[in-house]
Amino acid sequence: MPISYKVIDDGHGIIAHAEGTVSAKEFIDYEVAHATDNRIRTPVSELLIIENKALSLITNGDMERILELRLEIEQKPTPHRLGIVIPDSDPHAWNLARFYEGMVELHSPESVIVFGDEVIARTWLGLGDGS
């Protein structure tokens, strides 16, 4: 699957990877899946690593649809910190991530920060260096 995640640290961490070409449905399915995953416990730190061009099919409208779907879910999402890592060479993904960053109410009262470096994102999230 082009976007996948694993739950780590006894439910307090999420590591997600978007690679290949992610469809809007796959991105929405990912958001709903981890929003309702019973293994996840507060406090949560999520690292979303987006490979170059992985979100080339995703639009701001798709991001808005994610917000709408999240509001429809009976189970309230677990508030968490989200670090999104995007390569410098992917301006489309950077624009989407900035839009996503503005939708902080998904992660309220926590925060969303976009990074160009995975090590810095992991440090901010307290997830170690990935080794």
Side-chain angles (χ1 to χ4, degrees):
M1 179 183 333
I3 188 164
S4 60
Y5 74 97
K6 62 182 175 180
V7 177
I8 61 169
D9 295 335
D10 199 29
H12 298 288
I14 303 167
I15 306 287
H17 283 91
E19 52 195 352
T21 304
V22 178
S23 71
K25 181 183 181 329
E26 290 164 332
F27 197 83
I28 290 168
D29 289 349
Y30 157 73
E31 282 290 336
V32 171
H34 85 276
T36 58
D37 191 321
N38 291 328
R39 299 173 296 164
I40 298 171
R41 296 187 226 153
T42 193
V44 178
S45 293
E46 176 186 359
L47 176 64
L48 173 56
I49 302 164
I50 300 171
E51 301 298 332
N52 194 37
K53 308 291 183 196
L55 300 187
S56 62
L57 299 179
I58 308 298
T59 66
N60 284 355
D62 296 327
M63 298 300 233
E64 289 172 355
R65 181 70 184 131
I66 290 166
L67 176 59
E68 292 167 6
L69 287 172
R70 293 280 297 260
L71 294 173
E72 293 172 10
I73 297 171
E74 287 185 26
Q75 179 180 339
K76 296 292 182 202
T78 304
H80 61 286
R81 295 182 349 154
L82 169 60
I84 304 172
V85 179
I86 300 171
D88 292 337
S89 60
D90 192 347
H92 177 73
W94 274 94
N95 290 334
L96 286 175
R98 289 289 183 206
F99 181 80
Y100 194 76
E101 188 177 36
M103 297 182 346
V104 171
E105 61 266 29
L106 282 177
H107 304 277
S108 182
E110 302 291 340
S111 55
V112 178
I113 297 182
V114 182
F115 296 90
D117 182 277
E118 183 178 339
V119 173
I120 294 171
R122 285 178 173 276
T123 300
W124 179 72
L125 291 166
L127 294 176
D129 63 6
S131 52

